[in-house]
């Protein structure tokens, strides 16, 4: 995911606390890696696997770790930008190209954030601690990296199959729909489709215009596509061609022409009162001051509690970027 960037000791902590990284999670991450009594000694376990050239004992632990990266789980936001992931099984050179040093470091930080934020069962803590050790020790060659790419490919394939099925129900396909000269921007202005969550909107609104492609590819596009598909799959939905076209654009395009009107004109998808407060203050009242830190902290926590981990990660990263600008 795009927010996997390097973090300096004096930067705001990626956990969203507002404190400097060196005074928040920097030391806690080493404590987490050591483990608690009764937990797996990950260093010794990996050493044994290397010496014996037998990873079978650790495969169930790695599989458990990957379950926490799945959609709807605490690490669903840890991804590579989807336009970098090839539609095939990755080669060693592909993985090396994806895994910069900063990506690996920040991926480990996100794992530590989950370890420190949630009270996890022992088997999940073992799985995440093993994942951190593998990333540190083997970098792009860590089995967790290839598994993450394959997970993304499965996700993208499932979404495209869902999109094709929804379009086929109306006798359409993605190529035809994308080539359609329907005025999609005009339809958005008239219909005001609710497809952006508060986190999606906030990330697009506060990211500099030249970097909106990154946020779009980092997860917003996929969520917009899903929102459109939910509408298409609902019985009796109207404007089906337009919903299908918007779903196709979200699934297959970089930040599109329709991105800005979506951000500026459409209502939020299922907003909370706190989210409406921030949204209305910025767009309806035209108040472009930085959002209230206290309200935003409540929103991040509420987003995490309802299981929208990707949304919470987007919000934390944007708040961190705002804090950096204000320093």
């Amino acid at each position: 995911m795009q927010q996997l960037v390097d973090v300096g000791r004096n930067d705001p902590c990626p956990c969203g606390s507002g404190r400097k990284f060196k005074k928040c999670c920097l030391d806690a991450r080493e404590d987490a890696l050591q483990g608690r009594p009764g937990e797996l000694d990950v260093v010794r376990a990996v050493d044994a696997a290397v010496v014996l050239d037998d990873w079978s004992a650790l495969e169930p632990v790695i599989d458990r770790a990957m379950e926490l990266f799945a959609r709807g789980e605490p690490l669903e936001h840890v991804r590579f930008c989807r336009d970098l992931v090839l539609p095939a099984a990755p080669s060693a050179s592909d993985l090396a190209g994806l895994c910069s040093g900063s990506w690996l470091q920040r991926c480990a930080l996100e794992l530590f954030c989950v370890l420190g934020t949630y009270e996890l069962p022992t088997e999940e803590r073992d799985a995440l601690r093993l994942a951190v050790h593998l990333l540190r020790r083997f970098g792009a060659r860590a089995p967790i990296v290839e598994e993450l790419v394959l997970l993304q490919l499965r996700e993208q394939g499932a979404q495209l199959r869902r999109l094709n099925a929804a379009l086929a129900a109306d006798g359409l396909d993605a190529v035809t729909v994308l080539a359609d000269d329907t005025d999609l921007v005009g339809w958005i202005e008239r219909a005001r489709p609710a497809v952006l969550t508060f986190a999606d909107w906030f990330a697009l609104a506060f990211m500099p215009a030249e970097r909106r492609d990154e946020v779009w590819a980092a997860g917003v596009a996929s969520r917009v596509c899903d929102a459109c598909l939910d509408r298409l799959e609902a019985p009796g939905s109207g404007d089906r061609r337009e919903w299908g076209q918007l779903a196709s654009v979200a699934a297959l395009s970089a930040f599109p022409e329709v991105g800005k009107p979506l951000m500026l004109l459409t209502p939020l998808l299922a907003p909370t009162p706190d989210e409406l407060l921030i949204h209305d203050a910025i767009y309806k009242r035209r108040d472009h001051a930085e959002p209230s830190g206290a309200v935003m902290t409540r929103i991040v926590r509420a987003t995490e509690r309802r299981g929208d981990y990707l949304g919470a990660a987007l919000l934390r990263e944007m708040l961190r970027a705002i804090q950096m600008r204000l320093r």
Side-chain angles (χ1 to χ4, degrees):
M1 185 120 188
Q2 180 55 39
Q3 60 259 42
L4 297 181
V5 294
D6 205 359
V7 182
R9 290 174 55 85
N10 292 310
D11 290 345
C13 188
C15 76
S17 66
R19 301 169 65 195
K20 289 184 178 180
F21 178 46
K22 68 182 180 182
K23 295 185 176 181
C24 191
C25 290
L26 179 60
D27 292 331
R29 64 182 186 172
E30 299 304 325
D31 294 338
L33 189 58
Q34 293 302 315
R36 301 168 179 170
E39 293 183 341
L40 178 69
D41 185 333
V42 296
V43 176
R44 180 175 295 181
V46 172
D47 284 345
V50 171
V51 169
L52 298 173
D53 193 22
D54 182 0
W55 290 80
S56 57
L58 291 179
E59 287 174 359
V61 189
I62 294 172
D63 290 344
R64 189 69 188 92
M66 291 312 303
E67 292 176 12
L68 297 174
F69 285 85
R71 296 188 69 177
E73 297 297 330
L75 289 164
E76 70 167 306
H77 62 286
V78 179
R79 295 288 187 273
F80 299 107
C81 280
R82 65 179 187 173
D83 56 341
L84 300 179
V85 178
L86 301 175
S91 66
S93 59
D94 293 332
L95 297 179
L98 285 170
C99 288
S100 65
S102 62
W103 190 94
L104 290 165
Q105 178 186 10
R106 187 58 188 271
C107 183
L109 285 176
E110 295 291 340
L111 292 168
F112 281 122
C113 182
V114 171
L115 281 166
T117 302
Y118 306 103
E119 190 58 41
L120 302 173
T122 298
E123 62 272 16
E124 292 185 355
R125 285 182 51 82
D126 286 346
L128 295 186
R129 291 170 48 249
L130 176 65
V132 172
H133 181 66
L134 290 173
L135 288 171
R136 285 182 164 186
R137 185 161 176 176
F138 300 106
R141 295 183 294 112
I144 210 82
V145 174
E146 182 174 0
E147 290 295 328
L148 179 56
V149 174
L150 295 174
L151 173 62
Q152 287 187 239
L153 290 172
R154 290 194 296 270
E155 288 175 345
Q156 292 175 16
Q159 187 175 68
L160 289 174
R161 288 191 296 274
R162 188 182 173 201
L163 173 61
N164 288 333
L167 294 175
D170 294 317
L172 302 171
D173 60 75
V175 174
T176 302
V177 167
L178 286 173
D180 196 335
D181 60 1
T182 299
D183 181 9
L184 190 57
V185 172
W187 175 75
I188 290 171
E189 293 172 347
R190 294 190 304 273
R192 306 290 176 94
V195 294
L196 293 178
T197 67
F198 175 83
D200 301 331
W201 165 78
F202 190 83
L204 291 175
F206 280 86
M207 178 62 77
E210 66 274 12
R211 296 186 59 197
R212 284 187 183 135
D213 271 356
E214 299 172 7
V215 172
W216 183 257
V220 174
S222 180
R223 287 151 66 94
V224 169
C225 182
D226 282 344
C228 294
L229 292 174
D230 289 343
R231 183 62 178 257
L232 283 170
E233 291 167 353
S237 59
D239 295 343
R240 296 186 61 82
R241 193 175 191 91
E242 289 81 0
W243 282 103
Q245 189 173 8
L246 182 55
S248 302
V249 166
L252 302 170
S253 302
F255 187 66
E257 180 186 358
V258 300
K260 191 171 182 180
L262 283 177
M263 181 182 68
L264 294 175
L265 301 174
T266 61
L268 298 178
L269 183 63
T272 67
D274 275 344
E275 291 170 351
L276 280 176
L277 178 68
I278 297 293
H279 182 269
D280 291 354
I282 291 171
Y283 273 155
K284 291 189 177 179
R285 300 175 202 163
R286 305 300 176 187
D287 177 5
H288 292 283
E290 300 297 348
S292 163
V295 177
M296 286 302 304
T297 298
R298 288 204 306 268
I299 290 173
V300 173
R301 300 301 179 227
T303 303
E304 288 177 332
R305 283 197 299 272
R306 65 174 179 263
D308 181 5
Y309 302 107
L310 190 152
L314 281 172
L315 291 173
R316 286 200 311 268
E317 186 60 26
M318 294 313 302
L319 288 176
R320 179 175 171 273
I322 290 171
Q323 291 167 352
M324 293 286 285
R325 288 204 300 267
L326 293 177
R327 290 173 59 183

